[in-house]
Amino acid sequence: MIKEYLYRLCGALVGLAVLAALPGQGNADPLRVGFYENPPKIFRDEKGQPTGFWPEVTEAILTGLGYDFEYIDCEWETCLEMVRQGQLDLMPDVAFSEERAQQFQFINEALIYSWSTIVTSEEVEIASLQDFEGKRIAVLANSIQERDLSRVLREEGLKSKLIWTSSVQGAIDAILVGDADMAITNTFFAVKMAEQNSLRIPELPFQVNSYHYIVPPDAPHSFVQAMNLASYRQQMTFGSEFHSAEYEWISFHKAPLPGWLTTAALITASVLLLSGALIFILRRVVQARTLDLATTVEALSAEMDLRKKAEKFALETQKFDAIGRLVGGVAHDFNNLLSVIMGNLELLKDQKELDASSQKFTDQALLATKRGAKLTYDLLSFGRRAQLVPQVLRIDLVLGGIEEMLRRTLPENISVAFSYDPDLKAVLLDQGQLENAILNLVLNARDAMPGGGRLTLSVSNLSSDGTEGREPSVDQVVVSVTDTGIGIKEEALNKVFEPFFTTKEIDKGSGMGLAMVHGFVTQSGGQIRIHSIWEQGTTVELRFPVTSEELEKVAGSDTSTELLGDEKILLVEDDEDVRHALSKRLSASGFNVTEASNGAAALELATSSTGFDLLVTDLTMPGSIQGVDWVRQARDTFGEIPIVVLTGYGSDALDGLSDLSRCLLLNKPISGPVLISKIRHLLED
């Protein structure tokens, strides 16, 4: 008995301590509650008395907690500022946002979920967000509707004139007097005002928000907990003041009671009970319809999100394609210039009378030319137009050969681990480009860990029946590069594959690394994915389709030791400087060269000459005969002689010639020894 008495006494003391900690209790000062006009949720009736959804629920909650309170009238923005400064203890009907959560304490239990509504005059048609362009839009200043409207206009790239008002009534008045074409306001206010003023509400939902109580940022935690609990109990208790106020003020389509119900209720108690049961059923119907409407709005919002994602994907695809075409054109012209420079430098280098100093200058100029060719190749890689030399290989064997080199690129404060699937499948890739892509990713990871960390490089199989994300339609091999660095902020993730975009300091990066990796992976038929968490790390995945071809044997050098020849070669090139440099190089190797400036001139030579052993031709030339059509017509005219196609574009230029035998595509600029070696090999094949 004594123990039980002591337990009860302790419980009572704890309860008194909690009550004493709550603001407004234990002193004469009533709670100050902000009040502004926003019917039917909160407003004063004809007698000046507070009424609507929020006053009824507020009175029930605060009275139940034992508080005295008074309403303080203020404009919307003024009310918020007074709460922020502690001049108000409580304010109802505030939409939640991350920005406001930094300034106030929100009561967690939302009492209303509502969507913002568009209101227009009868003359204005709004069918989609694009119709916002050029419109004058009225909105309550500093409201959740203003925030959402500004975000939509920014994301959609629309230009509209915002008209800020100090009240939601003012937003509607702006339409009525002709100062605005439309308004964005809360649904409850919009429905009532549209009915009273013959305004239109388009069938386009705008934004769903939750509405709460807020208290000052330094309000006691015990008061916040008490309000949370009371709000929760009001929603969970059947027949509470919350449900009565919700039915009275928030439900738009309340089913009227039958006309005979009042008379029947006065006649017998049984009819009264029946009426109560009917009311209960009707409330359930209203709640079910409200739930259906919320589900419909949610589904519509999801569909709009999917549409935006699809539009964004289409725009990204068009952007990359347009940049790729531009890069291809620039690279073609630049490669022609490099071909002239490289060809003449090589001819100059072959001169026996050059002294050592001149030889050194020539070598330096040739090295710079090759660096220029590497730059255009990188640009073509980004534009997905680089010439790839794919071969069947296993990625683990390729990376095993460069493990030591990758380790040397990392400082001692970064540990590196390699992980390979023991039964890794083969892929069809350009080995050099794969190594270059991995090196780029490793260097990016190194720069992301200036203070040290861990780098993990793994290669594994991904079966076509995998369950993650969108299931792959074919088996894939996945290369993952994971670091524990600073990560990438969310707003930058959508730009990391754009050329010249970099998050590094000035002079610390060119912004071309990930763009080239993206181009190589996409051109190889693969996919690239990036996942990053700020200040935690980044993972980049390269996914390549598995090939059914068998692994090729390691090939030896393709440079022939017999570079001289005496065969007859027809050289077709429209650029005079390029044609002259190529002709000199071929002639210096012993070949008998005949020149033609375009396809038509070459076909005329075919009829007047005794025949040629090999055709060397540019792919893009002026005139009516060029490109793939020219190469096919040349094969028909010259027969089965070998054809070497020179181009400043990428490998997709040969897509239409894959069925031709003894036809070789080479990228400009190409060094003389390599060109002669390729020709010699093709002639002897």
Side-chain angles (χ1 to χ4, degrees):
M1 291 294 292
I2 295 176
K3 283 187 176 180
E4 182 177 356
Y5 175 77
L6 290 175
Y7 286 146
R8 291 182 178 178
L9 178 60
C10 291
L13 291 175
V14 172
L16 290 174
V18 171
L19 291 175
L22 298 179
Q25 293 192 357
N27 58 61
D29 294 332
L31 283 178
R32 298 162 297 179
V33 181
F35 188 95
Y36 73 101
E37 293 285 333
N38 187 14
K41 294 190 289 182
I42 178 171
F43 64 102
R44 293 186 184 274
D45 60 18
E46 297 176 353
K47 298 180 180 180
Q49 297 300 313
T51 188
F53 173 83
W54 285 104
E56 290 186 14
V57 177
T58 302
E59 180 178 353
I61 291 177
L62 295 182
T63 301
L65 292 174
Y67 289 103
D68 292 328
F69 67 96
E70 63 178 351
Y71 286 109
I72 305 298
D73 290 279
C74 48
E75 293 291 337
W76 165 255
E77 292 183 85
T78 306
C79 285
L80 289 180
E81 184 61 29
M82 292 175 69
V83 176
R84 185 183 296 108
Q85 296 180 4
Q87 298 174 1
L88 290 178
D89 302 307
L90 185 69
M91 181 175 175
D93 198 28
V94 179
F96 178 83
S97 71
E98 293 293 340
E99 179 182 357
R100 290 176 180 170
Q102 301 296 324
Q103 306 175 46
F104 312 102
Q105 292 191 70
F106 275 78
I107 303 305
N108 292 339
E109 291 299 323
L111 295 183
I112 298 177
Y113 287 90
S114 171
W115 59 96
S116 301
T117 295
I118 304 169
V119 182
T120 71
S121 62
E122 289 291 342
E123 297 77 21
V124 176
E125 291 284 344
I126 300 294
S128 68
L129 294 178
Q130 298 302 318
D131 294 332
F132 283 19
E133 180 70 24
K135 297 293 190 299
R136 300 170 300 166
I137 306 176
V139 65
L140 175 63
N142 293 326
S143 65
I144 197 71
Q145 287 83 17
E146 180 194 2
R147 184 205 67 179
D148 294 334
L149 175 60
S150 299
R151 176 180 54 78
V152 168
L153 295 178
R154 181 175 63 254
E155 291 178 351
E156 298 292 334
L158 303 175
K159 295 182 178 179
S160 301
K161 180 179 180 181
L162 299 189
I163 300 175
W164 292 277
T165 63
S166 59
S167 66
V168 288
Q169 177 67 57
I172 299 299
D173 291 340
I175 300 178
L176 297 177
V177 300
D179 291 340
D181 302 309
M182 55 185 289
I184 304 292
T185 183
N186 70 73
T187 297
F188 307 106
F189 185 88
V191 170
K192 180 178 179 181
M193 295 306 299
E195 293 175 353
Q196 293 177 350
N197 297 281
S198 299
L199 298 177
R200 174 185 297 173
I201 297 180
E203 296 180 1
L204 180 65
F206 191 68
Q207 182 69 36
V208 177
N209 297 299
S210 61
Y211 290 80
H212 309 248
Y213 289 105
I214 63 170
V215 298
D218 57 351
H221 183 63
S222 56
F223 177 60
V224 175
Q225 285 184 319
M227 288 296 297
N228 267 323
L229 180 59
S231 301
Y232 176 79
R233 285 177 174 173
Q234 280 287 325
Q235 295 182 73
M236 294 296 104
T237 303
F238 177 75
S240 66
E241 290 83 356
F242 166 83
H243 290 291
S244 298
E246 180 185 44
Y247 185 79
E248 176 66 19
W249 300 107
I250 304 304
S251 300
F252 295 125
H253 306 290
K254 297 176 293 185
L257 297 176
W260 49 263
L261 183 60
T262 304
T263 304
L266 296 174
I267 297 175
T268 64
S270 60
V271 176
L272 182 60
L273 293 175
L274 179 62
S275 300
L278 180 60
I279 293 174
F280 175 77
I281 294 174
L282 290 175
R283 285 184 175 179
R284 287 299 183 91
V285 170
V286 171
Q287 291 177 354
R289 290 180 178 178
T290 303
L291 181 61
D292 290 342
L293 181 59
T295 303
T296 302
V297 171
E298 183 179 356
L300 183 57
S301 299
E303 183 177 347
M304 293 175 67
D305 289 341
L306 289 175
R307 179 180 177 183
K308 288 181 180 179
K309 290 180 181 178
E311 291 176 349
K312 182 178 180 180
F313 178 77
L315 289 174
E316 289 293 328
T317 302
Q318 293 174 3
K319 179 175 67 177
F320 274 107
D321 184 66
I323 296 177
R325 292 180 183 275
L326 175 62
V327 166
V330 172
H332 173 264
D333 293 338
F334 191 55
N335 281 334
N336 274 342
L337 296 176
L338 292 176
S339 296
V340 176
I341 297 172
M342 180 180 290
N344 284 284
L345 285 173
E346 288 178 343
L347 291 172
L348 179 62
K349 184 180 178 181
D350 290 342
Q351 301 298 316
K352 304 299 182 182
E353 60 271 16
L354 286 182
D355 55 25
S357 177
S358 298
Q359 285 282 357
K360 179 180 179 182
F361 295 150
T362 304
D363 289 340
Q364 290 177 345
L366 277 171
L367 180 61
T369 305
K370 292 177 180 178
R371 290 175 60 188
K374 177 64 167 59
L375 174 61
T376 59
Y377 188 88
D378 290 342
L379 289 172
L380 287 169
S381 294
F382 161 71
R384 308 174 196 174
R385 285 170 166 77
Q387 181 183 2
L388 301 181
V389 184
Q391 57 182 316
V392 179
L393 49 82
R394 273 179 46 183
I395 296 180
D396 57 337
L397 299 180
V398 174
L399 298 188
I402 61 172
E403 272 191 25
E404 188 60 32
M405 183 269 290
L406 294 177
R407 293 181 189 274
R408 289 198 301 270
T409 63
L410 300 173
E412 294 182 356
N413 60 356
I414 296 179
S415 62
V416 59
F418 295 86
S419 174
Y420 304 125
D421 193 312
D423 299 316
L424 204 63
K425 298 181 180 180
V427 293
L428 187 63
L429 294 177
D430 184 308
Q431 180 173 338
Q433 283 298 296
L434 173 63
E435 294 173 349
N436 188 48
I438 298 299
L439 178 60
N440 266 305
L441 296 181
V442 170
L443 293 177
N444 281 346
R446 178 200 64 187
D447 296 340
M449 297 184 287
R454 180 175 179 81
L455 174 67
T456 303
L457 197 154
S458 62
V459 188
S460 59
N461 295 319
L462 179 62
S463 176
S464 60
D465 59 357
T467 57
E468 59 170 298
R470 180 181 296 178
E471 298 181 0
S473 58
V474 296
D475 289 352
Q476 295 177 324
V477 174
V478 182
V479 182
S480 298
V481 180
T482 302
D483 65 67
T484 58
I486 59 175
I488 303 172
K489 293 184 178 179
E490 185 175 355
E491 58 268 22
L493 275 177
N494 295 330
K495 302 178 181 179
V496 294
F497 297 126
E498 295 182 4
F500 308 114
F501 175 82
T502 179
T503 58
K504 302 176 184 177
E505 299 178 3
I506 299 176
D507 298 331
K508 297 296 184 182
S510 65
M512 286 297 293
L514 281 178
M516 290 185 294
V517 174
H518 182 278
F520 159 66
V521 174
T522 305
Q523 189 177 356
S524 301
Q527 302 168 339
I528 183 169
R529 299 184 180 184
I530 184 168
H531 174 72
S532 185
I533 300 178
W534 179 243
E535 296 184 346
Q536 293 188 28
T538 302
T539 296
V540 181
E541 286 188 356
L542 310 182
R543 299 188 172 194
F544 301 104
V546 170
T547 182
S548 59
E549 299 181 30
E550 296 183 357
L551 286 174
E552 300 175 355
K553 296 181 180 179
V554 178
S557 172
D558 61 350
T559 303
S560 174
T561 57
E562 298 293 336
L563 299 183
L564 299 179
D566 58 358
E567 287 87 354
K568 296 180 63 177
I569 295 179
L570 175 59
L571 174 62
V572 186
E573 169 63 60
D574 63 292
D575 189 302
E576 183 177 356
D577 293 332
V578 176
R579 186 173 68 250
H580 178 73
L582 287 173
S583 178
K584 288 292 185 181
R585 166 51 62 188
L586 294 172
S587 298
S589 297
F591 293 105
N592 185 4
V593 181
T594 301
E595 300 180 22
S597 60
N598 53 56
L603 293 177
E604 291 181 5
L605 289 172
T607 59
S608 59
S609 176
T610 57
F612 297 98
D613 300 305
L614 181 126
L615 172 65
V616 178
T617 178
D618 187 16
L619 194 64
T620 305
M621 296 175 293
S624 58
I625 307 176
Q626 60 174 312
V628 173
D629 293 337
W630 148 241
V631 177
R632 287 192 172 279
Q633 190 168 350
R635 171 50 57 85
D636 294 339
T637 303
F638 293 99
E640 292 297 322
I641 67 170
I643 299 177
V644 176
V645 180
L646 301 177
T647 178
Y649 292 103
S651 60
D652 56 353
L654 199 60
D655 289 345
L657 303 175
S658 58
D659 59 323
L660 293 185
S661 60
R662 304 182 73 189
C663 183
L664 178 65
L665 178 73
L666 298 177
N667 257 23
K668 297 178 182 177
I670 184 171
S671 68
V674 174
L675 174 61
I676 302 304
S677 174
K678 295 289 185 181
I679 289 176
R680 189 76 266 158
H681 181 75
L682 195 60
L683 287 170
E684 295 173 355
D685 188 7

